[in-house]
């Protein structure tokens, strides 16, 4: 019994650690566009998002119930299974954060839970109908719906606001609207994502016999999950904020407002229906839709393609790591200890690698150009040489007539 209690405590702590990584991994969902357009200063933005994430955690438990009661069969699920699921989810979150890709923390968690459950109890322990209707279909539909809504909203705003376009009052109004919509996304994120950790902890408590089957999350679970995701949000996932705010497209305040309002509407609606939606998919789709909605706007499809690949890999990658972790924990206490040490060591190694190129609130809006590439902005301000002029680089390759100095020898 003492060993079981220790395992259960490890599961709860690991679940809160995942919730923390979920917070800083998904801060970009709410605040990337607000920061990139200058509507809010970076530190103010993440502080506001953290508070609203905490508030959102108390608004509903529908998504938590989907995780704890619907996705897998509670019967036969041991706390070690949930621990293994969390290991897969945390490592995938950290890896995608390291490379600045906005992947889904929700799908990482569900992939981990599915992989560990299959390794422990077989495929039959996963409820395939719930997986399809409340996870996979929303994963495909959410970015499409949010993207289409954001594109249409952007076009409407630019069409009806032509007379006021460029005025200080108009810019100020859109920035205020963007701050309000960013707050709504943060609230929606707390309502949806914090609940996933609540569901996982509740499932562990049921598996450990502490709670009766079909129980709702206790108040202490709601509070600690809300605090963990809020703290992670305040830390700020600056690498992903840079990708979302500057890497996918360049947004103006009108586009930022349209993107965030569309995403928040989709997320809140899905939370009400109990769909375990990926806020990352919704916000990424809305950002791309807003980019395409402005005349002359572009989406950087190379970045988008990398992001789509990460989305496709999230469920199977987290499931595979969790399945291996579950196999090792099956050897008993020492197996669980090995998995725990591996998780801590891997997390520390990823953090150390991130220190090689630090991204924080001071440089989050900077973009790097590959060596040797001339940007459009540079080309626009650099006039071409007059006709008949020989540039220094070209002159260096032309031999000078006998008796005349070369360009490198000439003096002014």
């Amino acid at each position: 019994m003492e060993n079981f209690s220790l395992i259960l405590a490890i599961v709860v702590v690991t679940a809160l650690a995942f919730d923390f990584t979920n917070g800083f991994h998904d801060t970009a969902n709410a605040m990337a566009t607000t920061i990139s357009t200058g509507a809010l200063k970076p530190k103010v933005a993440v502080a506001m998002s953290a508070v609203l994430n905490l508030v959102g955690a108390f608004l509903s438990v529908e998504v938590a119930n989907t995780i704890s009661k619907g996705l897998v069969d509670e019967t036969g699920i041991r706390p070690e299974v949930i621990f293994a699921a969390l290991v897969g989810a945390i490592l995938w979150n950290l890896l995608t954060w390291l490379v600045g890709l906005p992947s889904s923390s929700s799908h990482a968690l569900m992939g981990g839970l599915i992989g560990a459950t299959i390794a422990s109890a077989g495929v039959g322990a996963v409820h395939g109908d719930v997986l399809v209707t409340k996870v996979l279909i929303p994963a495909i539909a959410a970015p499409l719906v949010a993207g289409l809504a954001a594109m249409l909203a952007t076009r409407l705003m630019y069409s009806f606001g032509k007379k006021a376009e460029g005025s200080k009052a108009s810019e100020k109004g859109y920035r205020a609207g963007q701050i309000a919509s960013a707050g709504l996304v943060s609230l929606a994120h707390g309502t949806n994502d914090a609940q996933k950790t609540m569901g996982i902890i509740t499932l562990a408590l049921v598996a450990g016999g502490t709670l009766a089957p079909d129980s709702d999350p206790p108040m202490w679970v709601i509070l600690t999950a809300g605090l963990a995701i809020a703290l992670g949000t305040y830390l700020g996932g600056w690498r992903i904020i840079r990708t979302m705010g500057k890497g996918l497209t360049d947004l103006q305040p009108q586009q930022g407002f349209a993107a965030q309002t569309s995403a928040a509407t989709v997320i809140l609606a899905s939370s009400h229906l109990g769909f375990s939606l990926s806020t990352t998919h919704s916000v990424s789709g809305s950002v791309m839709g807003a980019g395409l909605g402005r005349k002359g706007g572009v989406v950087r499809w190379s970045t988008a393609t990398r992001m789509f690949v990460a989305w496709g890999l999230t469920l199977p990658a987290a499931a595979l790591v969790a399945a291996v972790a579950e196999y090792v924990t099956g050897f008993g206490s020492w197996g669980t200890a090995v998995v725990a040490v591996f998780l801590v060591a891997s997390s520390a190694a990823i953090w150390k690698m991130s220190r090689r190129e630090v991204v924080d609130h001071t440089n989050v809006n900077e973009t790097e150009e590959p060596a040797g590439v001339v940007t459009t902005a540079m080309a626009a301000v650099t006039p071409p040489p007059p006709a008949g002029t020989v540039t220094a680089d070209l002159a260096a390759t032309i031999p000078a007539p006998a008796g005349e100095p070369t360009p490198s020898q000439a003096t002014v």
Side-chain angles (χ1 to χ4, degrees):
M1 187 67 182
E2 291 181 1
N3 183 54
F4 171 76
S5 298
L6 177 61
I7 291 297
L8 189 57
I10 291 173
V11 170
V12 172
V13 171
T14 308
L16 294 175
F18 165 77
D19 206 23
F20 178 79
T21 67
N22 191 351
F24 74 74
H25 194 278
D26 289 4
T27 308
N29 294 341
M31 290 299 169
T33 59
T34 305
I35 292 171
S36 69
T37 60
L40 280 176
K41 292 182 178 179
K43 294 294 287 183
V44 174
V46 296
M48 169 183 159
S49 184
V51 172
L52 291 171
N53 265 277
L54 177 59
V55 173
F58 290 88
L59 297 184
S60 172
V61 293
E62 291 301 320
V63 175
N65 288 336
T66 296
I67 300 294
S68 63
K69 302 175 186 179
L71 188 58
V72 298
D73 190 353
E74 297 175 3
T75 306
I77 297 297
R78 300 172 296 115
E80 289 87 348
V81 175
I82 301 170
F83 174 61
L86 290 165
V87 170
I90 290 173
L91 290 179
W92 182 255
N93 268 1
L94 292 177
L95 284 171
T96 49
W97 163 76
L98 178 64
V99 296
L101 282 177
S103 68
S104 171
S105 297
S106 308
H107 287 185
L109 178 60
M110 276 184 282
L113 184 58
I114 291 168
T117 299
I118 291 174
S120 174
V123 177
V126 177
H127 298 158
D129 56 335
V130 176
L131 174 63
V132 172
T133 58
K134 291 201 171 186
V135 179
L136 297 181
I137 291 178
I140 297 171
L144 295 176
V145 172
L148 182 60
M151 183 173 66
L152 293 175
T154 299
R155 290 183 177 178
L156 286 173
M157 279 192 289
Y158 277 107
S159 297
F160 292 128
K162 284 183 178 179
K163 293 183 179 179
E165 190 173 347
S167 68
K168 291 184 178 180
S170 173
E171 293 292 323
K172 187 176 180 180
Y174 278 120
R175 289 182 189 277
Q178 196 176 355
I179 293 171
S181 61
L184 191 59
V185 174
S186 296
L187 193 69
H189 185 261
T191 304
N192 198 285
D193 279 45
Q195 288 189 54
K196 292 157 190 170
T197 300
M198 297 177 205
I200 282 291
I201 295 176
T202 302
L203 182 61
L205 295 174
V206 170
T210 304
L211 284 180
D214 294 328
S215 297
D216 288 337
M219 180 54 66
W220 71 265
V221 172
I222 297 174
L223 177 61
T224 54
L227 288 172
I229 201 169
L231 183 60
T233 300
Y234 182 71
L235 182 66
W238 304 110
R239 293 170 179 273
I240 300 177
I241 290 175
R242 174 185 282 185
T243 300
M244 191 85 81
K246 294 292 185 180
L248 278 176
T249 185
D250 295 315
L251 295 179
Q252 295 179 352
Q254 295 95 320
Q255 294 167 283
F257 174 66
Q260 289 171 316
T261 303
S262 302
T265 302
V266 171
I267 295 166
L268 286 171
S270 69
S271 296
H272 177 71
L273 296 172
F275 291 140
S276 186
L277 187 72
S278 167
T279 55
T280 301
H281 289 188
S282 301
V283 176
S284 300
S286 67
V287 168
M288 287 187 283
L292 294 173
R294 176 170 63 90
K295 186 178 180 180
V298 296
V299 171
R300 297 182 179 92
W301 292 111
S302 59
T303 301
T305 300
R306 290 171 56 227
M307 186 176 65
F308 294 150
V309 170
W311 290 2
L313 291 175
T314 297
L315 274 169
L320 179 61
V321 174
V324 174
E326 161 56 21
Y327 174 77
V328 177
T329 61
F331 288 101
S333 299
W334 70 267
T336 302
V338 167
V339 174
V341 171
F342 173 74
L343 175 62
V344 173
S346 299
S347 300
I350 292 171
W351 180 84
K352 187 174 181 180
M353 285 188 284
S354 74
R355 297 299 88 193
R356 296 175 183 174
E357 182 185 353
V358 177
V359 180
D360 57 22
H361 67 282
T362 63
N363 63 357
V364 66
N365 279 334
E366 295 177 5
T367 54
E368 297 182 1
E369 295 293 337
V373 175
V374 179
T375 64
T376 304
M378 290 171 60
V381 299
T382 306
T389 302
V390 178
T391 64
D393 289 340
L394 182 58
T397 66
I398 302 175
E404 293 185 16
T406 65
S408 59
Q409 296 170 334
T411 57
V412 178

